[in-house]
Amino acid sequence: MKKKLIAVMIALAMTASTGSIVFADEVVDCDVENREFNDVTITIHTRWDEADVSGPLYQAMVDGFMEKYPEITVECINIPTESEWLNSESVLMSDESSMPNIIQEYGGSRVAGYIEQNLIVDMEPYYTQYPEWKERFNALGNSLTDFTSYGYDGSYGVAYTAYQVMLFYNEEILNENGIDPVSIKSWDDLMNACETLKENGVQPFEMGEKDDYRFGHLHSALNYKTYGCDMAELLGTREVSYDGEEQKAIYEMIKEAADKGYLGTNLLGIDDGQERSLFNTGKAAFLFMGTWYCAEDKTGQELYDNQKIHAMRMPYVNEEYELHDMGGGNEAYYIVDTGDADEVAASVLFLKYMTSEEVVNTFIEGYPTPMCLEITTEAGNYLSKEASAIIDETKDVRGDIENYDTATHMINTVRQALQGIAMGSDPDEVGKMIVDLIEEYE
């Protein structure tokens, strides 16, 4: 078995003259900028999608890096579909011979599990070597890199894009139906607007629950809007049960909206891409989506070109938690300790390049999304600027609520159960399915 670099991080000391870290039985050079590489290949496991506007931008980073550092080859394993990507990561990370050098992930229990196995490199020594690098990051990505709540000190991962789940609305449709978007503050307000639209023959939402993260995200957001962001930790530690009254109230909100036809006419028949397409072409009044929607290519779309699509904060259930939202860091990149010092150093160098000012500015100019890094360009469209103003006023955020559970299966377990709502499951059945699956795993 290859010796893990992290496993030997004992009695480390920074050597100012050499930029090295001294371990009990070896010295690891943190000055990756001046390291000599000789025909090193690193692999990156990602969800990058060549069909998405961001895909070519990510690939351009890889190409630019290899042009600058021709002695390093970067190979990408890109799997856009989330369930397939998660399954692929699990398989690759279970075998030392197949582990990628860098994985794209969302933090939470899956990554904590890898840290527990000494598979993820702590970035703190490299930030000590390059303090100006660490200064480039803002607080949006802290939830992706800080694992102290799991008992691990250090800084794991390099945060990149950020997001917040919001409501987007079609101004023309709301105006035609006498609905003032400013008046939609609470979940009840939203449901009343949906009732008016339905009565007038207009479809409120067309959610693509064929991609099961759609109800997953709605479940997370409604939890934060009902109980506050602390519910993530309460569920994660099982202080609150998935079959308890608090969660059944959330399932009931989703079920009631689904049963009334507010959320969609073909929930299990369309995916998230079709969902966005229907909204973009005026077939639905609202879109519940992350702010990555703002950055998608909408060239030639009449509603967008005429600035008829706008962003609003996800409505609260309890006003106390109006400024609590689903969001934060959207993605981070974690270096896998393969035991090969050259591969680790090359991976650090790649992420340093990826987060450099010039590369980030080029990325954001082509894909104007919130970032976990300092932005020094004025890039952005009208919609992304509306979303950024909402983010600026947010008080607390959490990501997918299942990721705060120590059991790595929870994101799939909860989403599968929630999908049952679209097939007629009631709140008791949803809660029971989740708890039963937890017991099977444990």
Side-chain angles (χ1 to χ4, degrees):
M1 181 180 292
K2 295 179 181 178
K3 181 167 57 178
K4 303 297 179 198
L5 294 177
I6 295 178
V8 297
M9 286 188 179
I10 302 170
L12 82 132
M14 201 68 187
T15 307
S17 60
T18 64
S20 301
I21 296 179
V22 181
F23 301 100
D25 58 353
E26 65 180 297
V27 176
V28 176
D29 188 1
C30 288
D31 188 6
V32 297
E33 290 280 3
N34 295 304
R35 188 186 185 94
E36 291 187 9
F37 296 94
N38 182 23
D39 194 22
V40 177
T41 297
I42 59 173
T43 57
I44 305 177
H45 187 265
T46 79
R47 284 193 65 197
W48 299 347
D49 185 354
E50 293 180 0
D52 183 77
V53 66
S54 64
L57 294 169
Y58 283 118
Q59 186 58 50
M61 292 179 194
V62 173
D63 295 341
F65 176 80
M66 289 192 293
E67 182 177 349
K68 184 174 182 179
Y69 302 99
E71 64 280 6
I72 301 174
T73 300
V74 180
E75 297 178 348
C76 299
I77 306 170
N78 300 327
I79 305 177
T81 303
E82 185 170 60
S83 59
E84 295 176 4
W85 160 75
L86 283 171
N87 290 336
S88 172
E89 176 186 285
S90 177
V91 171
L92 292 175
M93 290 296 289
S94 67
D95 185 343
E96 190 173 90
S97 65
S98 65
M99 289 179 182
N101 297 102
I102 301 173
I103 57 173
Q104 177 188 354
E105 257 288 2
Y106 304 145
S109 57
R110 286 192 303 274
V111 177
Y114 298 144
I115 295 172
E116 183 178 8
Q117 299 173 65
N118 290 329
L119 295 179
I120 303 297
V121 173
D122 182 0
M123 299 302 298
E124 201 59 48
Y126 299 97
Y127 292 143
T128 302
Q129 173 68 30
Y130 303 110
E132 72 284 356
W133 185 19
K134 188 172 185 178
E135 290 173 2
R136 287 192 43 71
F137 297 91
N138 58 41
L140 287 174
N142 288 352
S143 63
L144 301 181
T145 60
D146 184 349
F147 290 83
T148 53
S149 63
Y150 293 91
Y152 305 111
D153 293 328
S155 183
Y156 296 91
V158 173
Y160 206 64
T161 59
Y163 78 107
Q164 189 161 305
V165 166
M166 298 182 181
L167 278 189
F168 298 93
Y169 64 91
N170 183 316
E171 178 185 18
E172 285 188 339
I173 290 179
L174 296 194
N175 287 343
E176 289 169 359
N177 289 273
I179 299 170
D180 182 0
V182 176
S183 68
I184 301 176
K185 300 292 186 183
S186 70
W187 179 255
D188 286 343
D189 294 335
L190 178 60
M191 293 299 97
N192 290 336
C194 289
E195 182 178 4
T196 297
L197 291 167
K198 260 306 195 187
E199 289 174 349
N200 294 342
V202 178
Q203 184 56 36
F205 291 86
E206 282 287 9
M207 290 189 70
E209 179 57 14
K210 185 176 180 180
D211 285 313
D212 63 7
Y213 85 88
R214 303 304 296 124
F215 276 9
H217 279 190
L218 184 55
H219 171 255
S220 293
L222 284 173
N223 262 287
Y224 303 146
K225 291 296 188 177
T226 305
Y227 307 116
C229 286
D230 288 346
M231 179 54 74
E233 287 79 16
L234 294 174
L235 271 176
T237 58
R238 311 289 170 78
E239 186 174 337
V240 171
S241 175
Y242 276 94
D243 65 351
E245 294 305 315
E246 297 98 329
Q247 291 308 295
K248 286 195 286 188
I250 302 298
Y251 310 147
E252 180 59 39
M253 280 186 254
I254 300 174
K255 179 175 173 54
E256 183 178 1
D259 287 351
K260 290 181 176 179
Y262 297 165
L263 299 186
T265 58
N266 189 17
L267 285 167
L268 297 178
I270 65 172
D271 59 25
D272 67 341
Q274 293 167 301
E275 174 183 356
R276 293 193 293 272
S277 179
L278 288 167
F279 175 74
N280 290 338
T281 54
K283 303 298 192 303
F286 295 108
L287 176 72
F288 167 80
M289 189 65 66
T291 47
W292 53 80
Y293 170 73
C294 303
E296 294 173 354
D297 186 8
K298 300 179 183 62
T299 304
Q301 294 180 10
E302 183 179 352
L303 289 170
Y304 175 78
D305 289 343
N306 293 326
Q307 297 192 13
K308 298 300 184 181
I309 293 173
H310 298 283
M312 71 167 70
R313 184 179 299 279
M314 175 69 181
Y316 62 80
V317 179
N318 289 328
E319 189 171 3
E320 178 183 358
Y321 303 112
E322 178 182 7
L323 301 181
H324 287 227
D325 286 278
M326 181 181 182
N330 184 42
E331 61 176 327
Y333 295 86
Y334 301 86
I335 297 175
V336 178
D337 183 2
T338 61
D340 187 309
D342 283 336
E343 290 178 1
V344 170
S347 299
V348 173
L349 188 62
F350 175 77
L351 293 184
K352 192 169 185 296
Y353 173 86
M354 184 178 179
T355 53
S356 63
E357 180 179 359
E358 181 180 358
V359 172
V360 169
N361 283 349
T362 299
F363 179 81
I364 203 71
E365 286 165 5
Y367 191 72
T369 189
M371 298 290 290
C372 300
L373 292 132
E374 176 188 357
I375 303 300
T376 57
T377 178
E378 294 299 320
N381 55 50
Y382 84 92
L383 197 57
S384 66
K385 290 176 180 177
E386 288 182 6
S388 293
I390 293 170
I391 290 173
D392 287 344
E393 295 179 348
T394 301
K395 298 298 184 184
D396 202 357
V397 294
R398 296 289 191 283
D400 290 281
I401 204 163
E402 307 89 355
N403 282 343
Y404 297 85
D405 197 292
T406 56
T408 58
H409 67 84
M410 286 302 292
I411 194 164
N412 288 329
T413 293
V414 174
R415 288 179 179 181
Q416 288 170 14
L418 290 169
Q419 199 167 53
I421 293 174
M423 295 180 274
S425 296
D426 63 34
D428 287 331
E429 291 170 328
V430 173
K432 184 177 186 304
M433 181 178 177
I434 296 172
V435 171
D436 286 349
L437 285 170
I438 290 173
E439 291 177 355
E440 284 184 24
Y441 278 101
E442 297 178 352

